[in-house]
């Protein structure tokens, strides 16, 4: 879901004004308004802070199968790379045609990539069933962003937790 919708819905559920939520989240009402209109995208950490300030309960997920935990760790690492270099979205768009025909998620990924890095990072770091399905068929997998050595470290981390 887009950050503008998430912030607007969280504020509405909390019954807070822009000014009240902005004060609680440690930002300005103008910035929060820009988030809600989509004029500006918050960083993931800022979005989390705003949602928390609005009282949105963030629930930890239950134990996930090792294979899915591994995919989650890989995608978290890819999310870090996207935050550091948003141009990776362009590279993912370039390989997207290779995903078409072998994945029913190619169209969804095209839309997500067009929505920008905040939305892509939100999907890559989500543990929802819908996001899990998307993450297993990501165009980022075609880019070989994670070295074999790092994959091994993440695999070991998966089994250590």
């Amino acid at each position: 879901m887009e950050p503008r919708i998430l912030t607007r819905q969280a504020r509405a559920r909390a019954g807070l004004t822009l000014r009240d939520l902005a004060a609680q989240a440690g930002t300005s009402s103008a910035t929060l308004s820009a988030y809600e209109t989509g004029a500006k995208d918050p960083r993931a950490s800022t979005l989390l802070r705003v949602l928390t300030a609005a009282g949105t309960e963030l629930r930890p997920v239950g134990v996930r199968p090792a294979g899915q935990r591994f995919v989650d760790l890989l995608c978290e690492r890819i999310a870090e790379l996207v935050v550091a270099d948003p141009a990776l979205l362009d590279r993912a768009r370039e390989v997207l045609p290779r995903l078409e025909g072998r994945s029913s998620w190619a169209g969804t990924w095209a839309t997500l990539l067009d929505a920008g890095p905040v939305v892509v990072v939100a999907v890559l770091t989500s543990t929802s069933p819908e996001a899990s399905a998307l993450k297993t068929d990501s165009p980022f997998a075609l880019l070989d962003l994670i070295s074999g050595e790092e994959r091994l470290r993440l695999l070991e981390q998966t089994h250590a937790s």
Side-chain angles (χ1 to χ4, degrees), residues 52-74:
T52 301
T56 299
E57 185 179 344
L58 303 172
R59 296 183 194 111
V61 296
V63 176
R64 297 167 64 74
Q68 189 58 52
R69 286 195 316 266
F70 180 62
V71 169
D72 289 344
L73 288 172
L74 282 173

Side-chain angles (χ1 to χ4, degrees), residues 40-85:
K40 185 175 178 183
D41 283 332
R43 290 188 311 224
S45 60
T46 303
L47 179 60
L48 180 61
R49 192 176 70 240
V50 169
L51 295 176
T52 301
T56 299
E57 185 179 344
L58 303 172
R59 296 183 194 111
V61 296
V63 176
R64 297 167 64 74
Q68 189 58 52
R69 286 195 316 266
F70 180 62
V71 169
D72 289 344
L73 288 172
L74 282 173
C75 288
E76 285 174 20
R77 180 63 183 121
I78 292 168
E80 291 171 1
L81 295 171
V82 167
V83 168
D85 183 9

Side-chain angles (χ1 to χ4, degrees), residues 6-18:
L6 288 171
T7 54
R8 195 176 320 131
Q9 287 179 348
R11 185 172 64 81
R13 276 193 306 273
L16 296 170
T17 65
L18 271 171

